[in-house]
């Protein structure tokens, strides 16, 4: 009985504790250990990270797992204890993708920047560019304002004059030539940007503009996981310029005619007769031009209003065209993924649907994207897998305006906005849209009219896959083969109905275009990794590569459909003027590459690489080129003689190497035969349509790669026990044998030829800093900052010299020896001619209110060579970004700014010289008048005396790029519903900007810019 009482007493003082052990990102940690401190009780977490243990009510539990910091938690009568273990693996030991392989950050010798996509989930990146924007020093990401989104990419500035400057894309270890829009941001695990020659040289002739490597997600150990990401948002206008409303339009139009007729009109001739001064009667005013009838009608006619505008004015009917062109666009993005890892197979599958509307009516983009990543271990030495991506894009919707997009991908609607009079008519009497709202040829067209008569199908299908097999060989060798096929199918069918007032003259227009591409590449990769005596670490990679591209592009057009065109492109053969064209292209390439990364004692590293490339687009004399690099690194903080308490880690890096640029047309080195048609009349007078054949382009058998040699000095550091860490980069690049489209004299018979000429130098500085400002149990604050500047200079061009031996500049293209590529060269303005300066202005055939130009040589006339000057730069002189991240319990908050500073942009609205001011509307801007003179805005319809020039303003700005807020529901609550994780988030992109000297639209794109507001939920089952 005594022993039984002791047992009961012990049982009464113990309790069952349950919980879940997870990583920081919420993933379970199967096998994590739970021990009772000072006792013998213990258990392990199951495959889902759950555990259960019987322990005393007042004991202490120790939670641990390899690679994570152990935690001790007092039980204190708790029955549920959930634990998040923090990784104790140093950032330096993280594995980074470096091209055809991986390495730890500690061993890297080149300039490589990494972005982990998971850390930006709260910001709901809509594209790959959204993940990169502002997060990598040295990478410039453009701003796209369309529903499709995205933007251009450029690493370390512009290095070429005519060849492309976009970086090479690598997706899951294979070169990727597809669109970034085909990649779902929710599928991305991480991205690396290779910026210097050493890190990018393994891609040789394709890597002169840097490399962006994208790694997609794979399954993790544990039970199968289903993740649902769903968000809905709104796109609204963040930066805009208004046009004149109904009454202000009339006042402005009065000033237009007074300015256009400066010095040649009678007092108040263009003014409203109801506002005449007492000393001028209406009869006198009417007699100016012998007008009769209604004075108000005469006034409206004098300021250029058309009959329909006058009628609407008298009836008080006006139109707000702003609301006819712009909208609040709905944005939807849904992704479902399943992933997991068994004993022999790892899988990740996702399906995403995105449907975005832009701020311009009719600007729409729809895509379905799916990804399947599989990897299976067949034996202990053989692994096979596939990474397959399917994407479907639909851009069939016709945007407001002309129903098309301009060269920058922006809907062609904004030009119509200023053409339209607020006193025009939106509809015809039968309720249909009126083609010309004021019935005047130059008075603009209804922005929604064209959409009514367009039937369009514009779709793109792509399938990109990498199939691979990896064999583990003895002595640390591994052999892997990647086969990467890519198929695309594009179709665009378009019908422009004959019921349209313009297209009716041609009897309707229709076109059908079908383009199919097939690309494949194969990479045979042999790697060797071996460590000797724990201090000699070798990592060697060898590559044999081959590739082939082929495309078939067919286009047919027709017009004059009979008896009618109601079937549109479905019956394109019923037209009377068919034209057919085709463009098939073919190219091949190959490469051999070797790279050795050697590390001694974890302190001294070196990387040597060489690659030889061949590409069919270059001349027959130079089908191949060799590129090389060498780099060394020294982890000086591990030296015994470095004993600084504040220094945790320090590494110096130095690299030098060369890369190439082959981003040109596939046939520019060859002459091609072009065909054309013309009518031939025989002796009897009959006309025949016959073909002609002619040589269209001059060949250059010596054309070769553009080559960029670069040197990079880098410093990686960590200070104050990890409170601050960062990277400093300094570099200089020399781009030689520039691929230039050189102009030729007409006597040669060709206008241009592609040649290798000249040299452009680039140099720059980059700084990346991260700091942990506050780290508490329930609160943390981290800051990330990037700074970069880049300078380029044209060292030489064509080699032509003057009599004194100085190399000649290229005035036509605006390229000057010793100057930057983006140097602005133009006439310099010196304000506005004012009253009292009539005589001086007359010397240049100008008058007060016109812009004054500086006559450098004071000869009374303006010539380019004598009077143009260098006036700043079109590219930012430096860029920076700043991100702050806060975490309090289950709440996350982050926001980011970025800035482009020191550059100039042309701002010709200051000249007030838009065409047809007497027949259109205008943005609301200041303008010079005798009553309100200024020294910046010219008079309406100002004159330039036949001297074209640009007016520049500083475009420096700081953008409040985004703010994101998220809340993760407590696990104890959601697990009751058998849910692993639930997170709600809200974010706003493009909140606003500060531009002290630019007050015209958005300084980054000089156009309408959307603001995005998004609300979403992440659900993990």
């Amino acid at each position: 009985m005594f022993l039984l009482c002791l047992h009961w007493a012990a049982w009464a003082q113990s309790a069952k504790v349950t919980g879940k052990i997870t990583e920081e990102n919420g993933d379970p940690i199967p096998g994590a250990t739970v021990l009772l401190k000072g006792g013998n009780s213990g258990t392990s977490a199951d495959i889902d990270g759950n555990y259960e243990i019987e322990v005393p009510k007042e004991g202490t539990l120790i939670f641990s797992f390899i690679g994570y910091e152990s935690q001790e938690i007092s039980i204190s009568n708790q029955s549920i204890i959930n634990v998040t273990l923090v990784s104790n693996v140093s950032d330096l030991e993280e594995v980074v993708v470096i091209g055809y392989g991986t390495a730890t950050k500690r061993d890297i010798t080149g300039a490589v920047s990494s972005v982990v996509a998971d850390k930006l989930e709260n910001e709901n990146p809509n594209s790959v560019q959204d993940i990169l924007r502002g997060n990598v020093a040295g990478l410039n990401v453009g701003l796209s304002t369309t529903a499709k989104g995205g933007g251009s990419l450029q690493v370390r500035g512009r290095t070429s004059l005519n060849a492309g400057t976009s970086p090479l894309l690598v997706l899951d270890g294979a070169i990727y030539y597809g669109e970034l829009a085909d990649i779902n941001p929710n599928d991305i695990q991480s991205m690396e940007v290779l910026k210097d020659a050493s890190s990018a040289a393994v891609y040789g002739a394709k890597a002169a503009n840097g490399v962006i490597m994208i790694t997609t997600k794979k399954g993790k150990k544990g039970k199968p996981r289903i993740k649902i990401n769903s968000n809905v948002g709104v796109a609204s206008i963040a930066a805009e310029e208004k046009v004149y409303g109904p009454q202000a339009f009339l006042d402005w139009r009065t000033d237009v005619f007074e300015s256009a007729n400066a010095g040649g009109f009678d007092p108040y001739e263009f003014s409203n007769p109801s506002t005449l001064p007492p000393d001028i009667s209406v009869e006198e005013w009417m007699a100016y031009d012998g007008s009769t009838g209604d004075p108000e009608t005469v006034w409206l006619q004098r300021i250029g209003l058309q009959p329909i505008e006058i009628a609407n004015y008298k009836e008080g009917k006006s139109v707000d065209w702003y609301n006819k062109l712009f909208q609040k666009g709905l944005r939807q993005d849904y992704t479902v993924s399943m992933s997991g890892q068994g004993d022999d197979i790892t899988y990740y599958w996702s399906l995403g649907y995105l449907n975005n509307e832009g701020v311009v009516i009719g600007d729409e983009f729809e895509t379905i994207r799916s990804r399947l990543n599989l990897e299976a271990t067949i034996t202990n030495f053989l692994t096979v897998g596939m990474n397959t991506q399917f994407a479907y894009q639909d851009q069939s919707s016709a945007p407001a305006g002309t129903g098309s997009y301009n060269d920058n991908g922006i809907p062609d609607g904004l030009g119509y906005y200023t053409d339209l009079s607020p006193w025009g008519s939106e509809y015809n009497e039968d309720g249909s849209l009126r083609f010309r709202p004021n019935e005047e040829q130059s008075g603009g067209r209804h922005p929604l009219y064209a959409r009514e008569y367009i039937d369009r199908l514009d779709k793109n299908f792509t399938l990109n896959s990498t199939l691979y097999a990896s064999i583990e060989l003895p002595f640390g060798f591994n052999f892997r083969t990647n086969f990467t096929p890519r198929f695309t199918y594009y179709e665009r069918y378009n019908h422009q109905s004959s019921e349209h007032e313009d297209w009716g003259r041609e009897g309707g227009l229709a076109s059908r275009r079908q383009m199919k591409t097939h690309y494949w590449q194969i990479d045979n990769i042999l790697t060797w990794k071996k460590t000797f005596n724990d201090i000699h670490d070798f990592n060697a990679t060898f590559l044999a590569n081959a590739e082939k591209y082929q495309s078939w592009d067919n286009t047919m057009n027709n017009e004059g459909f009979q008896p009618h065109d109601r079937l549109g492109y479905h019956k394109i053969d019923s037209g009377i003027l068919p034209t057919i064209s085709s463009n098939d292209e073919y190219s091949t390439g190959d490469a051999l590459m070797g790279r050795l990364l050697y590390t001694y004692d974890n302190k001294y590293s070196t990387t040597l690489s060489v690659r030889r490339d061949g590409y069919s687009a270059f001349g027959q004399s130079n089908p191949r080129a060799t590129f090389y690099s060498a780099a060394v690194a020294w982890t000086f903080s591990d030296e015994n003689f470095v004993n600084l308490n504040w220094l945790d880690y320090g590494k110096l890096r130095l690299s030098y190497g060369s890369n190439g640029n082959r981003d040109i047309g596939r046939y520019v080195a060859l002459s091609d035969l072009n065909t054309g048609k013309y009518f031939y009349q025989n002796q009897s007078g009959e006309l025949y349509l016959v073909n002609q054949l002619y040589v269209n382009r001059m060949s250059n058998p010596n054309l070769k790669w553009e080559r960029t040699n670069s040197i990079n000095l880098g410093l990686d550091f960590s200070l104050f026990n990890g409170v601050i860490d960062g990277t400093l980069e300094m570099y200089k690049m020399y781009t030689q044998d520039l691929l230039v489209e050189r102009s030729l004299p007409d006597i040669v018979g060709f206008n241009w030829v592609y040649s290798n000429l000249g040299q452009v130098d680039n140099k720059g500085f980059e700084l990346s800093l991260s700091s942990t400002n506050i780290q508490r149990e329930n609160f943390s604050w981290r800051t990330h900052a990037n700074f970069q500047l880049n300078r380029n200079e044209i060292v030489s061009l064509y080699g032509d010299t003057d009599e004194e031996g100085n190399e000649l500049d290229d005035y036509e293209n605006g390229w000057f020896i010793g100057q930057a590529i983006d140097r602005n060269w133009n006439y310099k303005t010196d304000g506005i001619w004012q009253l009292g300066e009539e005589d001086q202005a007359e010397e240049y055939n100008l008058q007060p209110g016109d812009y004054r130009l500086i006559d450098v040589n004071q000869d009374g006339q303006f010539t380019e060579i004598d009077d143009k000057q260098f006036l700043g730069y079109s590219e930012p002189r430096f860029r920076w970004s700043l991100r702050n991240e806060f975490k309090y319990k289950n709440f996350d908050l982050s926001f980011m700014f970025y800035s482009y500073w020191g550059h100039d942009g042309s701002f010709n609205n200051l000249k007030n010289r838009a065409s047809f001011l007497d027949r259109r509307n205008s943005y609301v801007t200041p303008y010079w008048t005798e009553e309100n003179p200024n020294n910046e805005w010219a008079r309406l319809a100002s004159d330039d005396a036949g001297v074209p020039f640009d007016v520049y303003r500083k475009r420096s700005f700081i953008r409040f790029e985004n703010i994101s807020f998220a809340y993760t529901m407590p696990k104890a609550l959601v697990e009751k519903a058998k849910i692993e994780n639930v997170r709600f988030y809200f974010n706003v992109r493009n909140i606003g900007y500060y531009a002290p000297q630019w007050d015209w639209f958005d300084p980054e794109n000089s156009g309408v810019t959307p603001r995005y507001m998004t609300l979403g939920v992440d659900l993990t089952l």
Side-chain angles (χ1 to χ4, degrees):
M1 290 178 63
F2 176 73
L3 292 175
L4 187 59
C5 288
L6 289 177
H7 174 75
W8 284 346
W11 182 84
Q13 295 176 10
S14 64
K16 181 166 65 175
V17 177
T18 62
K20 188 170 186 176
I21 307 173
T22 59
E23 301 180 49
E24 291 177 281
N25 61 3
D27 292 340
I29 305 179
T33 302
V34 185
L35 293 175
L36 175 63
K37 187 175 183 179
N40 297 321
S41 300
T43 187
S44 297
D46 63 16
I47 194 170
D48 298 320
N50 298 315
Y51 74 92
E52 179 181 309
I53 188 172
E54 189 94 13
V55 290
K57 293 182 178 180
E58 297 299 329
T60 299
L61 294 179
I62 302 174
F63 299 86
S64 62
F65 192 69
I66 297 173
Y68 295 85
E69 298 284 352
S70 298
Q71 286 193 38
E72 295 187 9
I73 298 179
S74 176
I75 299 171
S76 301
N77 290 320
Q78 299 180 81
S79 60
I80 299 176
I81 301 177
N82 294 319
V83 178
T84 299
L85 296 182
V86 179
S87 173
N88 63 5
V89 177
S90 168
D91 288 344
L92 304 174
E93 304 306 321
E94 288 184 7
V95 175
V96 176
V97 179
I98 59 172
Y100 302 114
T102 59
T104 64
K105 283 187 177 180
R106 174 182 286 273
D107 294 337
I108 288 177
T109 57
V112 181
S113 295
S114 298
V115 179
V116 179
D118 286 347
K119 294 183 179 180
L120 304 176
E121 284 184 342
N122 294 341
E123 297 175 12
N124 182 42
N126 198 230
S127 64
V128 175
Q129 289 90 331
D130 288 342
I131 299 176
L132 294 169
R133 185 175 288 109
N135 292 312
V136 177
L139 175 65
N140 304 329
V141 182
L143 178 68
S144 174
T145 60
T146 64
K148 186 174 182 179
S152 61
L153 297 173
Q154 189 179 77
V155 177
R156 290 189 167 178
R158 184 177 171 185
T159 58
S160 183
L161 296 177
N162 282 143
T165 58
S166 298
L168 179 71
L169 302 177
V170 176
L171 179 63
D172 288 325
I175 293 173
Y176 176 70
Y177 290 114
E179 284 192 63
L180 286 175
D182 289 341
I183 303 175
N184 190 335
N186 293 301
D187 292 338
I188 296 176
Q189 181 65 44
S190 65
M191 287 190 283
E192 278 76 33
V193 181
L194 314 183
K195 297 182 287 188
D196 71 327
S198 171
S199 58
V202 291
Y203 295 105
K206 309 170 187 180
N209 300 314
V211 179
I212 296 178
M213 309 192 68
I214 303 172
T215 302
T216 58
K217 295 178 180 178
K218 297 182 179 180
K220 297 182 179 180
K221 287 185 178 180
K223 70 174 185 179
R225 173 178 296 178
I226 299 175
K227 188 171 183 178
I228 303 170
N229 178 280
S230 176
N231 63 78
V232 177
V234 175
S236 59
I237 294 179
E240 61 184 346
E241 291 291 333
K242 293 286 190 178
V243 296
Y244 288 104
Q247 186 56 49
F249 168 76
L250 299 177
D251 297 336
W252 171 79
R253 186 67 77 82
T254 296
D255 287 343
V256 167
F257 276 80
E258 289 183 351
S259 181
N261 294 276
F265 65 95
D266 294 308
Y268 296 92
E269 180 178 349
F270 302 105
S271 299
N272 189 332
S274 64
T275 63
L276 294 175
D279 58 336
I280 300 179
S281 66
V282 173
E283 290 73 18
E284 292 178 284
W285 181 85
M286 295 279 285
Y288 286 160
D289 56 5
S291 297
T292 59
D294 176 31
E296 187 176 59
T297 301
V298 171
W299 166 56
L300 296 174
Q301 289 174 339
R302 286 180 179 177
I303 61 174
L305 265 65
Q306 301 300 310
I308 192 170
E309 293 177 273
I310 296 173
N312 286 335
Y313 172 77
K314 293 188 175 184
E315 294 178 16
K317 297 191 304 184
S318 62
V319 182
D320 183 356
W321 294 109
Y322 180 92
N323 292 326
K324 308 300 178 184
L325 183 60
F326 300 109
Q327 66 179 357
K328 290 186 180 295
L330 177 65
R331 301 167 64 82
Q332 305 173 73
D333 190 0
Y334 311 101
T335 301
V336 179
S337 65
M338 293 190 299
S339 62
Q341 180 178 348
D343 293 336
D344 299 320
I345 191 168
T346 300
Y347 61 91
Y348 174 87
W349 173 78
S350 74
L351 178 64
Y353 172 75
L354 180 143
N355 191 332
N356 286 344
E357 294 178 343
V359 294
V360 175
I361 291 175
D363 178 23
E364 299 177 14
F365 176 72
E366 181 182 31
T367 180
I368 297 173
R369 300 175 287 200
S370 186
R371 167 165 290 277
L372 178 62
N373 292 347
L374 288 175
E375 185 172 276
T377 302
I378 307 302
T379 67
N380 60 354
F381 63 86
L382 175 63
T383 301
V384 298
M386 63 180 290
N387 300 317
T388 300
Q389 170 184 288
F390 167 80
Y392 154 83
Q393 293 184 19
D394 188 347
Q395 287 184 278
S396 301
S397 176
T402 62
S404 62
Y405 297 84
N406 62 26
D407 293 338
N408 297 320
I410 299 174
D412 266 334
L414 297 182
Y416 279 48
Y417 186 34
T418 54
D419 288 344
L420 298 165
S421 165
W423 296 110
S425 288
E426 184 178 1
Y427 299 103
N428 295 311
E429 292 182 0
D430 61 0
S432 61
L433 298 180
R434 186 181 291 270
F435 178 43
R436 297 189 187 278
N438 71 345
E439 298 296 344
E440 204 277 326
Q441 185 74 18
S442 304
R445 304 175 183 181
H446 196 298
L448 302 182
Y449 182 85
R451 298 187 72 241
E452 295 286 315
Y453 302 97
I454 291 177
D455 178 21
R456 179 179 297 163
L457 183 149
D458 190 326
K459 297 183 178 181
N460 196 27
F461 303 83
T462 65
L463 181 65
N464 193 90
S465 187
T466 298
L467 313 175
Y468 63 89
S470 176
I471 301 176
E472 293 292 337
L473 301 172
F475 309 111
F477 284 94
N478 175 277
F479 180 76
R480 174 179 173 129
T481 295
N482 295 337
F483 176 63
T484 306
R486 174 177 172 79
F487 302 92
T488 70
Y489 180 70
Y490 173 72
E491 55 184 357
R492 188 181 193 275
Y493 305 150
N494 192 66
H495 171 225
Q496 296 165 244
S497 172
S498 61
E499 295 180 10
H500 186 287
E501 289 199 24
D502 267 355
W503 304 330
R505 300 187 185 98
E506 287 83 17
L509 306 167
S511 65
R512 296 172 68 101
R513 182 187 179 193
Q514 295 172 317
M515 180 178 181
K516 180 175 67 174
T517 65
H518 175 211
Y519 169 84
W520 62 259
Q521 64 177 324
I522 187 166
D523 298 316
N524 293 302
I525 307 166
L526 178 67
T527 59
W528 177 60
K529 295 183 179 180
K530 197 71 174 178
T531 301
F532 298 96
N533 300 327
D534 293 327
I535 59 172
H536 300 282
D537 186 76
F538 292 89
N539 185 341
T541 304
F542 304 94
L543 167 77
N545 162 276
E547 65 172 276
K548 174 185 174 183
Y549 170 92
Q550 194 162 10
S551 67
W552 300 262
D553 191 353
N554 308 311
T555 302
M556 61 182 76
N557 299 277
N558 213 338
E559 60 183 87
F561 291 86
Q562 296 179 352
H564 55 72
D565 67 332
R566 294 187 190 121
L567 292 178
Y569 56 73
H570 299 289
K571 189 64 175 174
I572 196 171
D573 57 310
S574 64
I576 61 173
L577 290 174
T579 59
I580 301 174
S581 63
S582 63
N583 181 35
D584 297 346
E585 294 191 358
Y586 178 97
S587 66
T588 58
D590 54 50
L592 296 173
M593 186 275 295
R595 176 184 63 198
L596 173 64
L597 196 163
Y598 167 69
T599 302
Y600 173 74
D601 198 21
N602 280 332
K603 291 188 291 187
Y604 313 104
S605 300
T606 185
T607 302
L608 303 173
S609 67
V610 60
R611 174 165 171 146
R612 183 161 178 81
D613 273 278
Y615 187 45
S616 60
F618 290 103
Q620 297 178 358
S621 300
N622 298 288
R624 289 182 169 79
T626 302
F627 305 92
Y628 50 85
S629 76
V632 293
W634 172 37
T635 307
F636 59 86
S637 57
D638 288 350
E639 299 288 358
N640 294 330
F641 58 82
V642 177
N643 187 16
L644 303 172
N645 294 332
W646 49 269
L647 178 65
D648 309 324
Y649 173 77
K651 180 172 73 173
L652 279 171
R653 295 177 281 104
L654 179 65
S655 67
Y656 179 81
S658 67
N659 290 323
N661 186 354
R662 69 173 208 181
D663 194 358
I664 55 173
R666 292 182 174 85
Y667 300 112
V668 295
L670 304 175
S671 291
D672 68 334
L673 290 175
N674 209 355
T675 61
K677 292 180 172 61
Y678 68 96
F679 283 101
Y680 172 76
Q681 185 177 19
N682 61 18
Q683 293 180 350
S684 63
E686 294 179 288
L687 292 176
Y688 292 92
L689 190 65
V690 298
N691 284 333
Q692 61 176 326
L693 191 64
Y694 59 93
V695 178
N696 186 48
R697 183 171 52 233
M698 183 177 182
S699 67
N700 182 359
N702 297 314
L703 191 68
K704 57 185 176 181
W705 271 273
E706 193 174 271
R707 181 183 294 268
T708 298
N709 300 306
S710 68
I711 184 169
N712 189 97
L713 177 64
L715 171 66
D716 303 324
F717 57 89
S718 179
L719 311 174
F720 311 117
N721 294 320
V723 172
I724 298 175
D725 59 82
T727 298
L728 175 68
E729 307 278 359
M730 291 179 288
Y731 62 88
K732 187 162 186 180
M733 299 186 289
Y734 311 86
T735 303
Q736 299 171 319
D737 297 325
L738 297 171
L739 292 165
V740 177
E741 190 177 292
R742 185 175 186 178
S743 299
L744 296 175
D746 293 338
I747 194 173
V748 177
F750 300 97
N751 295 325
W752 56 271
V753 63
Y754 246 103
S755 301
N756 295 103
L757 299 166
Q759 176 178 329
V760 171
D761 289 356
N762 258 265
K763 58 184 177 182
F765 169 84
E766 299 164 2
L767 176 64
S768 298
L769 286 175
S770 295
S771 65
T772 302
N773 307 314
I774 298 176
Q775 184 69 57
R776 301 288 185 268
E777 181 178 355
N778 292 320
F779 179 75
S780 65
W781 171 25
R782 286 183 60 81
T783 298
H784 309 275
N786 293 315
F787 176 86
Q788 67 185 72
L789 61 83
N790 176 271
R791 302 287 184 266
N792 63 58
E793 177 187 347
I794 300 175
V795 178
S796 64
L797 285 169
Y798 313 124
D800 301 331
T801 59
D802 59 18
E803 296 177 353
E804 298 178 358
N806 298 317
E807 187 171 354
L808 298 176
D809 299 316
D810 184 339
Y811 291 98
E812 182 177 351
N813 288 303
W815 298 333
F816 302 93
I817 306 300
Q819 298 292 338
I821 302 173
D822 62 317
R823 199 74 156 103
N824 294 323
W825 183 65
N826 215 312
Y827 299 107
K828 187 174 182 179
T829 60
D830 186 25
I832 308 290
W833 290 108
Q834 301 295 330
L835 294 174
E837 299 177 329
E838 289 84 353
D839 293 340
Q840 299 96 310
E842 178 61 29
E843 294 179 9
Y844 298 96
N845 297 318
L846 300 172
Q847 63 187 38
D850 294 332
Y851 253 97
R852 183 198 339 243
L853 303 182
I854 294 179
D855 185 359
V856 176
N857 61 2
Q858 297 293 314
D859 63 352
Q861 58 185 355
F862 293 99
T863 56
E864 287 192 348
I865 297 178
D866 293 330
D867 296 307
K868 281 190 175 182
Q869 304 180 51
F870 293 111
L871 306 174
Y873 303 83
S874 60
E875 291 293 321
R877 305 302 283 162
F878 62 86
R879 309 172 193 240
W880 60 260
S881 65
L882 180 69
R883 175 187 299 276
N884 281 278
E885 301 168 352
F886 302 88
K887 185 175 182 62
Y888 175 70
K889 293 185 177 180
N890 291 349
F891 296 92
D892 293 272
L893 174 69
S894 66
F895 58 85
M896 186 183 80
F897 297 87
Y898 70 82
S899 174
Y900 299 166
W901 209 264
H903 57 305
D904 300 295
S906 60
F907 187 36
N908 291 325
N909 295 78
L910 291 167
K911 297 194 292 185
N912 282 311
R913 274 186 55 80
S915 58
F916 303 116
L917 288 182
D918 58 335
R919 283 168 276 179
R920 62 196 297 272
N921 202 340
S922 170
Y923 292 113
V924 180
T925 59
Y927 49 89
W928 187 97
T929 65
E930 293 185 2
E931 296 77 17
N932 296 291
N934 71 80
N935 203 38
E936 188 176 27
W937 291 86
R939 65 186 177 93
L940 295 172
S942 69
D943 196 358
D944 62 6
V947 181
F949 65 95
D950 292 316
V951 185
Y952 295 95
R953 263 192 181 179
K954 288 291 182 185
R955 291 181 87 154
S956 303
F957 69 89
I958 301 173
R959 186 183 300 281
F960 193 172
E961 206 278 332
N962 71 67
I963 184 169
S964 304
F965 177 78
Y967 172 71
T968 303
M969 295 187 66
K971 291 187 178 295
L973 182 62
V974 299
E975 286 177 350
K976 293 180 180 179
K978 306 299 182 182
I979 297 174
E980 182 178 314
N981 187 64
V982 177
R983 181 174 60 92
F984 299 95
Y985 58 87
F986 173 75
N987 66 72
V988 184
R989 284 189 175 273
N990 189 22
I991 300 167
Y993 61 84
Y994 166 69
Q997 299 183 49
W998 186 268
D999 55 2
W1000 178 254
F1001 279 114
D1002 191 293
E1004 193 167 355
N1005 73 335
S1006 294
V1008 171
T1009 304
R1011 175 181 294 120
Y1012 304 120
M1013 303 179 66
T1014 306
L1015 181 65
V1017 58
D1018 275 349
L1019 178 68
T1020 305
L1021 304 177

